[in-house]
Amino acid sequence: MSMLTPPGMGGKYRVTGTAYPRMSRKRSRRRIVLAVLGSVLALALVGYGALQLIGVFRGDGPKRNTAAGAKDCPTKSPGAAAKGGAPAAPAAATASAPAKPAVVLPQPGTITVNVYNATPRAGLAKAVGDELAKRGFLIGTVGNAPADFDKKVPGTGIMLGSPTTDKAVFAVLGTQLPGTTQQTDTRETADVDLILGDAFKELSTKEDADKALALLANPAPAPAKNC
């Protein structure tokens, strides 16, 4: 019996040799690695939480978002800011900006219109001239368009005047058939040629034309900037 064998033990429990037997299981290397990783992760979470708490106590939290493109309204008048006075009370928001003064437009009865037909449609110039006369315009020459324009106007029409023709005259006549273009020639008279093009269908209804005239005379105010 070996000296390493406790008294009373023998047989299969007999210990032979000169070294003590290993009685415990080997530690798993995988468990050690997982334990280390878990410790590192726990320390990281604790550190992140501490930083968040420090930011809250220092007032570094997320700022309130404002509407995209919105501008802050001033709360101080320039004089008060310079003198260090108290902020001025914000002005009451208005529904709309002050209305623009009415524009003085020439009356249709002061505008002489020559109506020319540059399309293949027969009788178009006379029909348009008669309708414009009913709406108060003075009608001059009515007939086919000059050779420079005959069958050469693809759009709705052309308003042709002198270099000194008031833009308001073009605007008033343009309310009767939107889409026309403006040109000038060397004439010295105040009359305006209306040359009807291939895209012309018919004049605007009198109701629509009157609304367009009213809008020209009294432009809609620009919307106010609400604070």
Side-chain angles (χ1 to χ4, degrees):
M1 181 179 297
S2 171
M3 295 177 61
L4 299 178
T5 303
M9 295 184 63
K12 65 178 180 179
Y13 298 105
R14 181 177 180 179
V15 179
T16 60
T18 59
Y20 286 96
R22 185 180 299 273
M23 302 301 292
S24 61
R25 297 177 58 186
K26 294 183 179 180
R27 291 187 178 182
S28 173
R29 181 176 299 177
R30 182 178 178 183
R31 289 185 179 181
I32 296 175
V33 172
L34 291 177
V36 171
L37 290 178
S39 300
V40 172
L41 181 60
L43 289 175
L45 291 175
V46 171
Y48 179 77
L51 289 176
Q52 293 297 314
L53 288 176
I54 293 173
V56 170
F57 285 115
R58 291 177 57 186
D60 295 337
K63 297 181 180 179
R64 182 180 59 184
N65 293 329
T66 56
K71 295 182 178 180
D72 294 336
C73 296
T75 55
K76 287 186 179 182
S77 63
K83 298 177 182 179
T94 57
S96 62
K100 296 181 179 179
V103 178
V104 179
L105 297 174
Q107 295 298 313
T110 64
I111 302 175
T112 299
V113 184
N114 305 312
V115 185
Y116 295 106
N117 180 14
T119 76
R121 298 162 57 184
L124 183 62
K126 185 179 185 306
V128 171
D130 291 344
E131 181 60 29
L132 290 176
K134 293 178 182 178
R135 300 183 184 187
F137 291 89
L138 297 177
I139 304 301
T141 304
V142 176
N144 292 326
D148 291 343
F149 296 98
D150 192 27
K151 313 296 188 299
K152 299 175 183 178
V153 182
T156 301
I158 297 174
M159 294 183 292
L160 189 63
S162 74
T164 59
T165 300
D166 189 350
K167 298 297 183 183
V169 172
F170 288 137
V172 171
L173 181 56
T175 60
Q176 310 301 311
L177 62 166
T180 54
T181 59
Q182 303 173 14
Q183 294 184 18
T184 59
D185 56 14
T186 58
R187 77 183 66 194
E188 297 179 356
T189 56
D191 57 334
V192 176
D193 294 349
L194 176 59
I195 306 173
L196 304 173
D198 293 335
F200 175 79
K201 301 300 181 183
E202 59 184 3
L203 294 174
S204 300
T205 63
K206 189 176 186 307
E207 180 181 3
D208 289 342
D210 290 344
K211 288 181 180 178
L213 276 172
L215 188 59
L216 278 177
N218 298 280
K225 184 186 295 184
N226 295 328
C227 296

